[in-house]
Structure formats: C-alpha cells, structure tokens
C-alpha cells in the first residue's frame, strides 16, 4: 500500500497504472474524512469488488464545515486509519494537507441548487458547496472510474449524482448500504462524541425508522403526513432527542410529497431522513422504502 | 477530419487515441461558439504546434447569454466552419446540440468570485457562471491536456485559469494573442452585426489602445487615472461610441489599482480593457502592457 501526500505524485501513480493496464483497469476511489470505521471498510470492500486499483483519500475538508461546527475537533487518527486501509487491501492512500488542497483561498465554488435546499442543506448553509467543490477537486486529481459513498449521507449521494450528471464528469457515483452496529446504530465517525447514555438514547433513530418501515411493510395504508408524525412521536420518546428535521421525500430527487398522498400510490423510491441532536452531537440516519415493491410483496 | 455530434462517441474517440498513443500524445482542445474567423484559426494553429490531436468544439452555449442578449441571433454557419477547421488540420470537430449538452435543466453551476465581479462580469450578470460551467462540461467530455483561448476575451482567460487552479482540473489553459484585421479591428464573430459606418467608427478602439500604449512606451510618466482618462477621451472622439467600461487592471488577477499609482512603479502585467457599444453591437478589446519591461527598454 502506497501512502501519497502530494497531488503531483498521486497523479503520476494513477497515470502509470493506466498505462500499464493499457486503459483496461478500473480505478475505484473512496473519499473519506478519516477516523475510519466499518462503514468506510464496506466502501473499500465494494471498491475492491468493482474496481481494480483502489484509491482511498483521507482529508478533513475545512470548507464543508460552517462557523461553530466541529472542524477543529473532528476526530483524527491516521495510524489507525492506515492499518484499516491496509487490511482492506487499499492500493493507494492519498493524505493531502490543507495547504496541498488549498494553496490559496479558493475563489471557485460548485453549487448545486434544489437538492441542496432541504435536509442537511437547510440546517448547514454552504455545507454542500464545500462537499461538491472538494469532491470535484479530488475527482479531478484521482480521475477515477468509480467513486464510492455511503448511503448514510443519502443527500450527499443525491447531490453528487446531480453534479456528475450536470457537469458530464467521467465517473460513476456508487451508493453503498448503511452499515450499522449490532444494536442498530448507524456507524459514524461522530459517534465517538456520544456519552454512553447519549449512545443508548441514539438507538431511537434506527428503531423508529425500522418500526415505521415495518408498519408500512405490513401493508397498512398510511399517508406521508402520518409517516412523518409517527417518526416524530417515536423519536421524541427519547427524553434527550432534539429533532433537527424529519422528512419523507422522493429519492434521489429529494422532492417533497403532499401530506395526504398514500404511500402505496407512489412509484419509485422514498427516503425517510432524520437529523437529531443528542447532547451536543447531531446524528443523521435514514431508510429507503420502495412502496410499489413492498405492496406487491403483501 | 471526424465530425462527432454525441458525447459518448467523442469520449470513445479520444480514449482510443490515448490508448494507441500509449498515453504520450497530447490532446489539444479549442472550444468555440462557431462562426469561425482567423482569430479561431490562430487557436487551431497554436493547438497544432503544441498538441498532437486537435479537437475543436462548436457550441453556442445558451446559459452564458443573459435575457435580451443575442443568443437567438448569434451568427451560425456550420458548413463554412467545417471548411475552415478542415483547412486548419483539425482532427475532430465536436458539434453537440443543446439537448445533448443539457438533456435536463442544469442544477449545477460553477461560480468564480472576485475576478468575475468587474468588466464583462459586471455588465453581463451570470455570464461567467455560464462560461465556467460549459467549459468544465466540455473539458470533462474531451479531457484535453491543453485548452486554447484567445486573449480578446482576456477576462475569460483569467476566470478559467482561476477555475482550473482552484478545482485541480488536469488541463493547461493556453492564452493566444488577439488577431486583428489589417486596419486594427480585433476579430470577433459579432463584427458581422456592424454596419459599414459602425465598423469604421469601431476602429477607434484599437487606435485608442495603441495610442495610449505608445504614450506609455515613449517613457512618459503617467498614472492609472490619466491612462483611463486618455482612453475615455480618445474613444469618445467617435460620435457613436457608447462606453460600457474602460478599465486599467492588473493581469491576470484583475485587481484595481489606485488612481495615483504611476505605471512605471508597477511590477507585473497590466491590462487596458474596454467594452463599447456601436449602435446595437457591443464590442470588447484590450491590450496588455508590462510596465517594468517597457521602462527598462527606454
């Protein structure tokens, strides 16, 4: 496994690979902010299955954090990250410094409208401009065939797919399933912030999403407003949960649906997406449901 | 010379070239809006000198025109363009339709701040967002090593170089000198709009720029404000000239300079840039001056 810290060297390495594989080898890219967990491991594993050369990047991107957010305190542990990457058979780890990625203040921003206006985009203004800008920088540096992202950040996937489509970027965004602890908690580098009591309370997220999905899967006729109300009531059963948002939207378009629309009248995928604070830590979780499929199973 | 109208085919063609040249052949790209003239021809000629495979694109990009601008009437003449491209030894001409480039409304915009805020950016709000967005789409499609642009649109070059730097795009923006008619008029596809009287009056632009440059080159000590006033007075000697802007800025940063700064105290390049309407037609022109060099010649 090669560890590369500068852009020129990374480019040379990937170019060399392209030449030796006579253009047939696929380059898979897993961009991360480090502090890697089994969720990230599953992305690398998927990259191993679908791509030939696997490039992992570790970069805590300052421009996707707002003022007062956790950029400074975001957890970092390079040694541990490298061990996990090695174990997952990663070929190249790219770890640039902030100066390497932003030698001067960036005057250029990539902005995606509409799909960035709700959910985390509404709660964290400017966040997705920072994400799309850095991801396109990284994609321009690595020039991969596929880039792998976890569905826990479902909106991020929707936004990136829109960008790649609109800008004719020569890469496929590959969404990968959420990885959960045995007790249901979605893996996140930010889980480390939780006290043991907060961690226990945070289980309400996956439990609520699963319960509502269960109600729906059982064939019960519910509308969008009822689904949302059920989720809110279930999450509020935790005394310390403070809801940021609870939304039911189409996926990946992230369009709002009228309150009175019955779920089993909807074609295509839906996402139930939640963001909830436990103490100082804001966690997100979501679940996809495919109404038509579910109904046909009953 | 191959004429290609769809993105998938263009990509295959360039990829094939990369494989057969085992990654050593350079791909040069000349993006244009067509109605080609000797200015464009000089870009193709430069691409021939520096690159191995020359790709020309012809696309009148709707999203860089504002409401009420000349998108619908912008001159088009495909047959003539293809003949010129053939004569210049272009290898591939890419002529996509609007539907091919924008199958759905683009939600993604690339926005460069600061360098887009003055000159044509101030007169044509949104113009440069349209330019940066379409140029990055085209660059993502063609994936060239070099892209050639004329210095008549000097601000466009400054903006694109900023974008390429900020987004780590793997392409070199190559600025090429302005090409002028024998009488000094800078070549432009929009010159076709001019009546014979307007065309005659429009010569005031190059004449004014040259005269001011001459004053400066002769070693006379002038400051930024005097240079601008001289330009304004000279241009206004044409009874039909309506000035949009007359600016003296650093290049390529496009920073404003205090009025009282003497030109021969400045290090680096300056640009004198003008935009002037003759009848309904808005023309731009500019001239670069390098104070320190000029002074050392005296």
């Amino acid at each position: 496994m090669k560890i590369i810290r500068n852009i020129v060297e990374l480019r040379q390495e990937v170019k060399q690979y392209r030449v030796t594989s006579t253009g047939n080898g696929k380059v898979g890219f897993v961009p991360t902010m480090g502090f890697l967990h089994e969720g990230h491991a599953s992305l690398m594993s998927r990259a191993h299955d679908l791509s030939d050369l696997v490039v992992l990047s570790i970069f805590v991107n300052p421009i996707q954090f707002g003022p007062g957010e956790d950029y400074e305190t975001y957890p970092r542990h390079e040694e541990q990250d490298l061990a996990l990457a090695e174990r997952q058979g990663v070929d190249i780890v790219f770890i640039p410094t902030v100066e390497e990625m932003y030698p001067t203040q960036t005057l250029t921003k990539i902005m995606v409208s509409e799909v960035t206006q709700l959910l985390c985009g509404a709660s964290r203004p400017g966040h997705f401009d920072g994400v799309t800008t850095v991801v396109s920088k990284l994609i321009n540096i690595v020039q991969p065939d596929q880039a792998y992202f976890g569905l826990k950040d479902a909106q991020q996937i929707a936004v990136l797919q829109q960008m790649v489509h609109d800008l004719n970027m020569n890469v496929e965004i590959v969404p990968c399933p959420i990885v959960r602890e045995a007790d249901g908690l979605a893996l996140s580098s930010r889980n480390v912030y939780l006290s043991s009591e907060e961690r226990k309370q945070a289980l309400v997220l996956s439990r609520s999403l699963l319960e509502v999905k269960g109600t729906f899967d059982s064939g019960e006729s519910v509308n969008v407003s009822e689904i949302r109300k059920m989720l809110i009531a279930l999450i509020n059963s935790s005394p310390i949960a403070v809801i940021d948002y609870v939304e039911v939207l189409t996926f990946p378009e992230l369009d709002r649906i009228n309150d009175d629309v019955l779920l089993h009248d909807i074609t295509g995928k839906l996402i139930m997406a939640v963001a909830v604070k436990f103490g100082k830590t804001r966690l997100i979780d979501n679940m996809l449901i495919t109404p038509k499929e579910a109904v046909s199973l009953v």
Side-chain angles (χ1 to χ4, degrees), chain A:
Chain A
M1 185 176 80
K2 285 199 173 146
I3 300 167
I4 297 181
R5 295 181 193 271
N6 84 69
I7 293 170
V8 173
E9 205 185 319
L10 193 275
R11 278 206 167 115
Q12 276 164 352
E13 195 67 30
V14 175
K15 193 183 172 186
Q16 190 50 44
Y17 173 76
R18 296 263 184 216
V19 171
T20 48
S21 76
T22 61
N24 292 318
K26 297 290 180 201
V27 176
F29 178 41
V30 182
T32 76
M33 299 212 298
F35 211 71
L36 305 174
H37 51 61
E38 289 306 309
H40 299 109
S42 77
L43 303 178
M44 298 174 218
S45 165
R46 187 102 179 102
H48 232 309
D49 293 346
L50 298 184
S51 310
D52 302 297
L53 184 84
V54 178
V55 181
L56 168 79
S57 72
I58 299 176
F59 180 61
V60 184
N61 173 40
I63 71 165
Q64 74 188 64
F65 290 80
E69 286 187 359
D70 56 347
Y71 171 63
E72 280 81 13
T73 55
Y74 194 86
R76 293 155 168 94
H77 198 323
E78 187 177 305
E79 202 184 329
Q80 197 174 285
D81 287 351
L82 292 176
L84 185 144
E86 180 96 58
R87 207 162 63 229
Q88 292 295 322
V90 165
D91 298 295
I92 299 172
V93 186
F94 178 49
I95 318 187
T97 59
V98 172
E99 293 66 35
E100 182 73 6
M101 289 297 283
Y102 301 106
T104 53
Q105 191 209 346
T106 182
L107 302 183
T108 307
K109 288 268 171 77
I110 299 188
M111 302 177 98
V112 179
S113 56
E114 297 187 21
V115 280
T116 54
Q117 297 313 299
L118 29 70
L119 305 179
C120 291
S123 312
R124 304 181 66 187
H127 168 67
F128 282 115
D129 302 343
V131 170
T132 46
T133 303
V134 80
V135 169
S136 75
K137 280 166 72 75
L138 288 167
I139 284 175
N140 286 334
I141 293 166
V142 178
Q143 299 191 277
D145 300 284
Q146 294 107 355
Y148 299 84
F149 292 88
L151 270 164
K152 187 166 82 64
D153 298 299
Q155 186 177 16
Q156 175 170 274
I157 288 176
V159 171
L160 293 175
Q161 284 181 332
Q162 184 71 43
M163 170 180 81
V164 163
H165 170 265
D166 284 346
L167 296 182
N168 304 97
M169 293 172 75
N170 205 7
V171 63
E172 182 197 355
I173 301 292
V174 183
C176 302
I178 297 180
V179 177
R180 298 179 182 281
E181 305 271 12
D183 58 11
L185 186 68
L187 291 189
S188 163
S189 304
R190 288 190 172 100
N191 289 350
V192 75
Y193 296 151
L194 299 167
S195 70
S196 71
E197 177 56 26
E198 285 164 353
R199 196 197 167 294
K200 212 174 106 187
Q201 295 289 331
L203 295 177
V204 76
L205 298 186
S206 55
R207 222 166 38 219
S208 306
L209 289 164
L210 259 180
E211 185 164 336
V212 172
K213 190 172 188 304
T215 306
F216 170 74
D217 284 350
S218 73
E220 208 174 296
S221 178
V222 279
N223 68 28
V224 170
S225 162
E226 284 158 350
I227 288 269
R228 204 166 43 231
K229 277 181 193 153
M230 281 168 69
L231 278 171
I232 291 172
L234 285 163
I235 292 169
N236 279 334
S237 74
S238 157
I240 64 164
V242 177
I243 291 176
D244 176 3
Y245 62 72
V246 170
E247 293 273 16
V248 181
L249 305 166
T250 66
F251 189 83
E253 305 82 9
L254 304 185
D255 286 331
R256 286 222 161 77
I257 314 154
N258 283 341
D259 277 354
D260 56 352
V261 172
L262 289 174
L263 254 63
H264 65 237
D265 285 342
I266 293 170
T267 336
K269 278 197 178 66
L270 292 183
I271 187 168
M272 302 186 289
V274 303
V276 178
K277 277 188 102 170
F278 296 90
K280 286 183 174 165
T281 305
R282 181 177 173 278
L283 298 180
I284 58 173
D285 201 348
N286 70 75
M287 218 164 264
L288 293 172
I289 44 181
T290 312
K292 283 292 179 199
E293 247 176 55
V295 167
S296 71
L297 286 175
V298 174

